[in-house]
Amino acid sequence: MTSAEACEIIRLEPAAIIGFDGHVIAGLRVHPDQKHLVFPLGNEISVYELETNRQTFLRGHTNTISTVDISPSGKMVASGQTNHMGFRAYVIIWDWESRREISRYELHRVKVQSLCFSSNEQYLVSLGGKDCGSIIVWDIEQNMAICGVTATKETTGDALKVCGLNQRWTTFVSGGDQNLRVWHIDRDRKRLNVQDVAVGKLRREFTGMCITENDEILYVGTMSGDIVKIRLNVSSNPNAPMPDKTPVMLGCFGKHNPRKPVGKDCEKYHYGVRDLLILPNGSLIIGAGDGTIEMVHERNVSFKNYNSPTWPQLKSLQSTKVGGVITSLQIVNQYTLLIGTDGCEIYSLELQNFKTSLKLLKTCHTNAVYDIAFPYNFSLVFATSSHESIRIWSTSRMQELLRIVVPNFASSSIVFSRDGKSIISAWNDGVIRAFTPLTGKLIYAIPNAHNKGCSSVAVTSNGKILVSGGIEGQVRVWKIEPYMQSMIGVLKEHYGPIESVHINSFDTEVVSASRDGSCVIWDLIRLTRKHVIFAHTQFIAAQYYPTGVQILTAGSDKLIGYWEAFDGSLVREVEGSKSGPINAIDMNMTGEYFVSAGTDQVVRLWDYQLGVEVAVGIGHASAITSARYSPNGKFLVTGSSDGGIFVWTVPENYHIKIPAPEVTSGGSGNNNRTKPNTDSASKRVVPCRAPKTNNENVRQLESARSNRSSQITNCPAVDLNAQPTIDPCVDTASLADDNEQQEQLETRSVHSQKSQIFDR
């Protein structure tokens, strides 16, 4: 590649985005063609095709999307965003057919809370957040705002939602904290006329809304757990003036419990009614804050002297429960209910049978993705680590295959063993855990591996030596045997948290990067320090070149450094970011190209030899916390602090040109994922043998889950008071004062008996 060609920076395109922003109220939408789902993903809108699982994206927002709506005919999509304090937020109207922007306006401050189209698609009504508090009516054809007004009175709380009527296009409803109002658009006078719904002494925070087809009745959910029924009293003629009749409340309904006596037979939904739908037969679908999904209809009874303001009017027909708060309810193909939760999950449910038809369609992390790992020379699956879970994903279907749950703790680092038979992870409770790759069962756990939490982990190619880094600044070396895991060395030079450890391809050295401003190159055979790299930065990532001759580093100074592994001298520094620390780097298998990403939310692909950018990817809505190159070099995977996972396509010009080395664990590529270890190179490696009952291999994972949904496994509790096994050769006195950072621990040389475990 010439230097002229290197200067041409091309755009990385995301092949897929794994995720769903379930925190957006009513963010999951079904297009009227019943073939597509529309939902927000950071600062992009995902258009997901149900039959083919293909995704396209609408890009144009500068910050996180806060609300989405689709016009009744499906010709247009509208979206609003949040912005930083003091700045205005965009509303964008998109053309569905061309997937292009029609118009945009920024008349709201900080946040757009809710959107709705009029039934004739002439107007778009937008509601600002609590820092704005205004309702604006936008004429789509003339591309201008007709009018704007404050949404609530000074004596009530904020408005949270707007909803358009089905027949009368000049009328819409707004609701929120102690306010429920009906608005009429006066096009000639360019103003809004408003009527407050007469609810008497009832005080509620109104949430989800649904209106009957003839615009006669409005059902509104409340955070108190009941449902308010409103008669709107609007004319069927859309051109008629605002009616004199005030919208009135017909009742406040709860669920009837026939097992309790009269007066105590009314039950409310826990944590509020978050969304609701009306079925053609008049029944209601209710989504509650505790994950309850229930189909109800109104009982034909009257209540005159009932003490509670909430009447037991609703009779339950079917009920089920999902994990998380319900934020969206949609019906697709008339018989299937789609459910979105704040746990960033989408479920499908058949309306005929609630008990056995619940399926998980999409899921993603809800917290930062701390690390990403691929199995050695196998690109069909990858693993991610985050708060409370490790997940394995299919790169062909972009779906979750396995989830391993460890409640209340976060996994900061993850790696596959070379033979593909275990997933090794570091956790902030100080425990190193290893799991099987198919069922997610716990193989072994090393308690108190680091007293302030484990931050990074790496494993040698033979799987018998494990290196871990801790928050307290120590690097510890472990010998992994089938039924015992023992510590064989403590490497103490750092006084800050260890951000990453990486072992060279010959298993002779390991480099540790710390936030204390140093990287240390350790001799893994003798367990001694070889060289120290100092810089005016907090090192966050360090990685060996595939041949082991150089080390690539990145940190808080926004620079990417090339260092000689032989003597620790600086070779080159390039600016890796304009506006923030670099949080992750990773090379492809040949070292020709590497990827960097960080707080500036930009993914950069680099030519290693030239030290220049060749491609840039923009799409994340928050800081990128992890990045990984696929073994085949055809795509990149990045994770961000909001839980989003992006899969980027690497242009063909930058694919691996040199043949990859032979696989030492049963071949390479997709064709060998189920073959036994018959390669001659594998005979030179002595794998870490787990108990004989573990014959699982990660290469079998995708085929094993081809016809089944994701498997969720809960990790058993680990005794956090237990102490790790220490090899007799280790000086236990050096471990006595871990909390005293100023005390220098002497690293211990390991002689020939420890060198024998490296069976090369």
Side-chain angles (χ1 to χ4, degrees):
M1 178 183 294
T2 65
S3 58
E5 291 174 341
C7 294
E8 297 179 4
I9 301 176
I10 63 176
R11 184 74 175 263
L12 289 174
E13 295 295 333
I17 302 178
I18 298 175
F20 160 64
D21 192 352
H23 298 90
V24 177
I25 304 301
L28 176 64
R29 297 284 183 170
V30 175
H31 193 268
D33 64 6
Q34 303 294 301
K35 296 179 181 179
H36 295 86
L37 300 183
V38 178
F39 51 86
L41 279 172
N43 55 7
E44 298 182 352
I45 299 174
S46 173
V47 179
Y48 179 78
E49 194 170 346
L50 289 169
E51 294 181 357
T52 62
N53 293 334
R54 284 192 289 181
Q55 283 180 300
T56 56
F57 305 100
L58 305 179
R59 303 184 182 93
H61 284 283
T62 58
N63 213 319
T64 305
I65 294 172
S66 57
T67 180
V68 174
D69 193 35
I70 303 177
S71 64
S73 67
K75 294 180 179 180
M76 291 177 288
V77 176
S79 56
Q81 70 174 59
T82 60
N83 210 340
H84 303 291
M85 188 64 67
F87 294 87
R88 294 190 176 273
Y90 283 112
V91 175
I92 301 180
I93 304 172
W94 310 85
D95 179 70
W96 175 259
E97 291 296 329
S98 63
R99 304 289 201 270
R100 293 185 178 179
E101 178 183 321
I102 298 176
S103 62
R104 70 167 63 196
Y105 61 92
E106 47 176 352
L107 301 176
H108 294 286
R109 295 188 299 273
V110 184
K111 182 180 181 180
V112 181
Q113 182 72 34
S114 182
L115 294 168
C116 71
F117 282 95
S118 62
S119 58
N120 67 345
E121 303 183 2
Q122 183 179 355
Y123 306 119
L124 175 67
V125 180
S126 57
L127 170 65
K130 63 180 181 180
D131 297 294
C132 178
S134 62
I135 289 178
I136 292 174
V137 180
W138 184 264
D139 191 310
I140 299 174
E141 285 188 9
Q142 297 187 8
N143 196 25
M144 60 175 290
I146 297 177
C147 52
V149 67
T150 302
T152 61
K153 299 178 180 178
E154 294 182 356
T155 56
T156 64
D158 299 321
L160 302 174
K161 187 176 178 64
V162 290
C163 181
L165 273 62
N166 297 313
Q167 305 294 331
R168 187 180 174 102
W169 60 78
T170 57
T171 305
F172 63 93
V173 182
S174 71
D177 185 9
Q178 300 183 33
N179 62 84
L180 190 61
R181 316 182 88 183
V182 179
W183 303 81
H184 302 270
I185 303 172
D186 190 340
R187 182 68 175 83
D188 297 331
R189 299 181 181 180
K190 294 185 178 181
R191 70 178 187 180
L192 286 172
N193 300 316
V194 63
Q195 291 178 312
D196 288 299
V197 177
V199 294
K201 296 182 179 180
L202 193 72
R203 296 292 179 266
R204 294 288 190 271
E205 181 179 340
F206 299 104
T207 53
M209 302 179 185
C210 60
I211 302 173
T212 55
E213 193 65 29
N214 58 4
D215 292 339
E216 183 178 352
I217 301 297
L218 165 69
Y219 290 95
V220 190
T222 70
M223 287 299 294
S224 301
D226 44 24
I227 296 167
V228 178
K229 184 178 181 180
I230 307 294
R231 186 184 299 278
L232 291 175
N233 288 328
V234 296
S235 172
S236 58
N237 181 10
N239 296 318
M242 185 177 67
D244 296 332
K245 292 184 179 180
T246 302
V248 296
M249 181 180 72
L250 299 180
C252 183
F253 302 155
K255 182 174 61 175
H256 174 62
N257 188 344
R259 298 182 180 180
K260 293 186 177 181
V262 176
K264 298 181 179 180
D265 56 345
C266 183
E267 292 184 352
K268 296 181 181 180
Y269 293 94
H270 296 293
Y271 305 108
V273 176
R274 303 304 179 97
D275 204 1
L276 65 164
L277 292 175
I278 299 178
L279 299 180
N281 60 4
S283 299
L284 293 175
I285 300 291
I286 296 172
D290 63 346
T292 299
I293 306 293
E294 198 157 39
M295 180 188 293
V296 299
H297 72 81
E298 294 185 43
R299 301 165 61 210
N300 188 19
V301 293
S302 59
F303 300 91
K304 295 182 179 180
N305 299 319
Y306 201 83
N307 294 329
S308 174
T310 304
W311 304 339
Q313 187 78 41
L314 304 176
K315 179 180 178 181
S316 176
L317 302 179
Q318 295 188 81
S319 180
T320 189
K321 196 170 184 178
V322 300
V325 178
I326 307 299
T327 56
S328 303
L329 292 176
Q330 291 282 286
I331 293 179
V332 60
N333 297 327
Q334 299 182 356
Y335 302 106
T336 303
L337 178 69
L338 296 182
I339 306 154
T341 72
D342 72 342
C344 299
E345 295 178 329
I346 300 177
Y347 294 87
S348 69
L349 184 66
E350 299 299 325
L351 294 177
Q352 302 298 327
N353 186 2
F354 274 28
K355 292 184 178 180
T356 60
S357 62
L358 186 67
K359 295 181 181 179
L360 179 63
L361 289 184
K362 294 184 73 68
T363 182
C364 71
H365 290 290
T366 58
N367 294 83
V369 179
Y370 297 114
D371 198 10
I372 301 170
F374 279 91
Y376 178 73
N377 216 4
F378 187 68
S379 302
L380 284 183
V381 298
F382 66 92
T384 56
S385 62
S386 182
H387 181 66
E388 293 190 338
S389 68
I390 292 172
R391 306 190 188 203
I392 302 182
W393 309 85
S394 167
T395 57
S396 58
R397 291 178 286 159
M398 299 302 169
Q399 292 181 351
E400 183 187 61
L401 302 177
L402 174 66
R403 187 189 312 174
I404 303 170
V405 179
V406 181
N408 304 321
F409 299 115
S411 175
S412 55
S413 182
I414 186 173
V415 65
F416 285 93
S417 62
R418 179 70 68 92
D419 58 12
K421 293 185 177 181
S422 64
I423 308 167
I424 304 167
S425 56
W427 296 78
N428 65 348
D429 60 349
V431 180
I432 297 173
R433 295 175 172 88
F435 303 96
T436 58
L438 293 187
T439 58
K441 294 181 180 178
L442 183 67
I443 302 175
Y444 63 83
I446 305 176
N448 282 299
H450 292 271
N451 61 354
K452 293 184 179 179
C454 297
S455 56
S456 55
V457 66
V459 66
T460 57
S461 59
N462 63 4
K464 302 193 75 173
I465 294 296
L466 187 69
V467 181
S468 63
I471 301 296
E472 81 287 349
Q474 290 187 1
V475 176
R476 295 188 173 184
V477 185
W478 309 84
K479 180 168 68 173
I480 307 300
E481 295 176 310
Y483 298 100
M484 184 176 69
Q485 302 80 40
S486 57
M487 183 170 62
I488 61 174
V490 180
L491 309 176
K492 177 64 176 164
E493 289 286 343
H494 298 289
Y495 59 86
I498 306 296
E499 288 295 327
S500 73
V501 290
H502 190 255
I503 301 173
N504 69 355
S505 56
F506 305 106
D507 295 341
T508 57
E509 294 179 357
V510 59
V511 60
S512 57
S514 173
R515 285 191 176 270
D516 62 3
S518 67
C519 285
V520 179
I521 303 172
W522 308 92
D523 188 319
L524 198 53
I525 304 297
R526 299 177 178 83
L527 296 188
T528 57
R529 186 191 74 186
K530 295 185 71 174
H531 302 288
V532 182
I533 296 171
F534 289 109
H536 295 290
T537 181
Q538 295 180 348
F539 284 110
I540 300 176
Q543 186 177 20
Y544 275 99
Y545 191 75
T547 60
V549 297
Q550 286 187 344
I551 295 172
L552 198 66
T553 63
S556 59
D557 62 352
K558 301 175 283 188
L559 298 177
I560 298 173
Y562 294 63
W563 307 81
E564 288 288 354
F566 176 72
D567 58 0
S569 60
L570 180 65
V571 178
R572 173 197 287 168
E573 276 187 335
V574 296
E575 187 179 23
S577 173
K578 299 290 185 183
S579 60
I582 301 172
N583 298 326
I585 55 173
D586 191 47
M587 298 184 208
N588 63 6
M589 292 190 67
T590 60
E592 295 176 274
Y593 302 100
F594 69 92
V595 59
S596 70
T599 307
D600 62 355
Q601 306 173 17
V602 179
V603 180
R604 291 180 170 88
L605 184 64
W606 300 79
D607 184 294
Y608 185 89
Q609 298 296 336
L610 299 176
V612 296
E613 294 180 46
V614 295
V616 171
I618 300 174
H620 279 282
S622 61
I624 301 174
T625 53
S626 55
R628 194 68 63 192
Y629 225 116
S630 67
N632 62 12
K634 295 182 179 179
F635 58 91
L636 312 168
V637 181
T638 56
S640 57
S641 59
D642 60 0
I645 301 172
F646 279 59
V647 180
W648 306 87
T649 301
V650 175
E652 290 188 11
N653 296 341
Y654 309 121
H655 286 182
I656 294 176
K657 301 178 179 62
I658 304 174
E662 288 187 359
V663 186
T664 59
S665 58
S668 63
N670 303 346
N671 298 328
N672 295 323
R673 65 178 184 270
T674 59
K675 290 182 180 180
N677 294 340
T678 58
D679 195 295
S680 59
S682 65
K683 297 177 182 179
R684 298 193 299 268
V685 177
V686 180
C688 169
R689 302 192 180 200
K692 293 182 180 180
T693 55
N694 177 28
N695 294 320
E696 301 179 13
N697 196 298
V698 69
R699 295 172 179 271
Q700 305 165 357
L701 182 59
E702 189 180 34
S703 59
R705 296 281 183 274
S706 58
N707 297 321
R708 292 191 295 172
S709 59
S710 171
Q711 177 170 334
I712 301 176
T713 303
N714 290 311
C715 176
V718 176
D719 184 7
L720 299 181
N721 295 322
Q723 295 299 317
T725 304
I726 301 176
D727 191 277
C729 298
V730 178
D731 185 4
T732 56
S734 66
L735 305 176
D737 205 7
D738 283 349
N739 295 324
E740 303 271 346
Q741 293 296 326
Q742 64 271 25
E743 219 177 274
Q744 184 120 22
L745 295 181
E746 182 179 0
T747 57
R748 188 177 178 86
S749 297
V750 179
H751 302 292
S752 58
Q753 70 271 19
K754 290 185 180 177
S755 301
Q756 292 174 2
I757 60 177
F758 290 91
D759 185 0
R760 307 193 57 80

